[in-house]
Amino acid sequence: MLTVASNLKMDAQNTFAAGFRLKCDSIFAWCREHHVADGLDVGLSLSDMGLGLEVKTPVTKWVDLRAGVDWMPKFRMSTRFNLNTYSDGVPTGNFHHVAQLVYNNTGIEMDEIVKMHGVGSMVNFKLMADVYPVPSNRHWHVTAGFYAGTSMIGRAYNAKEEQPTLVGLNLYNRAYEYFTNLTDIFNVPLGGNTYMDPDMVEELQEKFRRYGRMGVHIGDFKDGTPYIMEPAPDGTVSAKAYVNHFKPYLGAGYSTDIDREGRWHFGVDLGVLFWGGAPDVINHDYVNGRDVNFTKELINVRGKVGRYIRTIKSFPVYPVLAIRFSYTIL
């Protein structure tokens, strides 16, 4: 009885397997006849989105589907900020007096110029549909698709050797806040039951008011208020550039075979990436406890940073130029 049941089960499995193979053969034959997923290309690309690895297959005689990953290696730029002292946003030009004051009280030597490093990098998955308006001409195509991946495309941060200067800046600004807001000059503790001489307190108050608060005048808010950038509490300065995670793409291109067998291919594509308007360049303002967007909130951004910001603003969409080499493996 068990043998009969086993044989029936085996026959059913064989029948199912044969039917499945027949169905697959029918699907593959239909795909070959209609040029749907009947080939597979693997390729490399080089573009201003970085180095790319991709695969391509036809989905109809009109359309090829491409998928892959683009990676932009890290690249570095540098810039410099000049430190100054300010009173109500107006430079007072007392950096050297402040630097001497900080050195006399802490031993920290401050530099007037702070060096910054800027690093950019991107990684994105891409999915593209190449549409051939004339099926008999497999050279010219229009492309629609998207990139999805990195949102933060760059960041700027101070060089390590600038850390003492930035720590000294923070110490000075804390002392500035304390003494310029002090009302009781007779009870400024030095430690234990020892208090600072009131005449010395008044002298320091007069110096702080005359010197002003220290920072970097990056630019102005749209209402004309100066934006004076100061370090984070840990004595660092940084900013980050952001775009959308999801980035639609539209473009056009040309491709051709470069060998007699038609297995090696070369292509050129030109298009635009919609990455969410001009990238946001964000610095956290620890004095006021909020983020400041250099791109959208500030005007008259100064120096090399200003040139970078103006360049960024000129690209609400990102132009993409790519060359591709591919090989047909199936």
Side-chain angles (χ1 to χ4, degrees):
M1 190 71 176
L2 289 175
T3 301
V4 173
S6 298
N7 289 338
L8 289 173
K9 183 178 180 180
M10 186 175 297
D11 289 343
Q13 290 174 341
N14 290 337
T15 300
F16 174 79
F20 181 75
R21 285 195 298 270
L22 185 61
K23 188 67 174 176
C24 288
D25 290 342
S26 176
I27 292 173
F28 292 150
W30 184 90
C31 288
R32 286 192 296 271
E33 180 183 352
H34 294 85
H35 303 289
V36 176
D38 63 341
L40 182 66
D41 292 0
V42 295
L44 297 173
S45 65
L46 176 63
S47 74
D48 47 4
M49 292 296 290
L51 303 173
L53 176 66
E54 60 185 41
V55 295
K56 182 178 77 169
T57 187
V59 291
T60 73
K61 62 182 179 180
W62 298 82
V63 180
D64 287 348
L65 196 64
R66 283 189 290 125
V69 176
D70 279 359
W71 167 67
M72 181 179 289
K74 287 184 179 180
F75 60 91
R76 177 172 291 189
M77 302 178 292
S78 64
T79 188
R80 297 172 184 271
F81 291 123
N82 283 80
L83 298 183
N84 206 337
T85 48
Y86 300 88
S87 178
D88 296 324
V90 178
T92 61
N94 287 305
F95 170 82
H96 294 290
H97 294 295
V98 170
Q100 189 62 50
L101 180 65
V102 171
Y103 179 76
N104 291 342
N105 287 275
T106 67
I108 295 175
E109 295 184 3
M110 299 180 66
D111 295 323
E112 189 172 3
I113 297 175
V114 174
K115 184 177 180 181
M116 300 283 292
H117 297 308
V119 177
S121 182
M122 287 191 290
V123 179
N124 287 283
F125 166 79
K126 61 184 177 184
L127 183 63
M128 305 287 175
D130 295 328
V131 180
Y132 297 86
V134 182
S136 60
N137 184 332
R138 299 289 289 182
H139 296 297
W140 295 99
H141 60 264
V142 293
T143 301
F146 66 87
Y147 287 76
T150 305
S151 177
M152 189 183 77
I153 61 171
R155 64 189 183 96
Y157 56 92
N158 61 275
K160 288 183 179 180
E161 61 266 26
E162 307 299 348
Q163 205 75 18
T165 292
L166 297 173
V167 169
L169 189 159
N170 276 350
L171 290 174
Y172 171 79
N173 281 345
R174 289 176 185 174
Y176 171 88
E177 286 184 1
Y178 178 80
F179 282 100
T180 55
N181 291 296
L182 185 66
T183 55
D184 185 359
I185 65 172
F186 297 98
N187 293 291
V188 178
L190 289 174
N193 294 319
T194 306
Y195 295 88
M196 186 178 290
D197 186 313
D199 291 335
M200 185 179 294
V201 173
E202 287 186 325
E203 181 181 344
L204 282 173
Q205 284 185 315
E206 191 277 329
K207 280 186 177 180
F208 280 118
R209 292 190 182 109
R210 186 172 74 251
Y211 292 166
R213 191 181 182 100
M214 183 174 285
V216 179
H217 185 186
I218 294 294
D220 304 315
F221 291 103
K222 293 180 180 179
D223 64 359
T225 304
Y227 172 56
I228 310 297
M229 185 178 70
E230 297 183 15
D234 61 355
T236 59
V237 174
S238 64
K240 297 177 181 179
Y242 295 94
V243 296
N244 288 347
H245 287 286
F246 183 82
K247 313 165 189 75
Y249 172 88
L250 287 175
Y254 177 86
S255 60
T256 187
D257 300 336
I258 55 176
D259 69 330
R260 291 182 179 180
E261 292 76 19
R263 299 186 73 87
W264 286 97
H265 318 284
F266 170 78
V268 179
D269 288 270
L270 179 64
V272 290
L273 191 70
F274 299 90
W275 59 358
D280 296 317
V281 179
I282 304 295
N283 167 255
H284 187 73
D285 180 1
Y286 288 90
V287 176
N288 296 302
R290 73 176 189 90
D291 289 339
V292 176
N293 190 327
F294 290 7
T295 311
K296 295 183 172 63
E297 293 186 66
L298 300 185
I299 58 175
N300 305 322
V301 180
R302 296 159 180 248
K304 203 177 222 182
V305 175
R307 291 196 293 273
Y308 292 153
I309 295 299
R310 287 190 291 274
T311 300
I312 286 174
K313 283 184 175 181
S314 66
F315 290 102
V317 296
Y318 186 73
V320 179
L321 174 63
I323 59 173
R324 296 183 287 111
F325 292 93
S326 60
Y327 180 76
T328 300
I329 61 174
L330 293 176

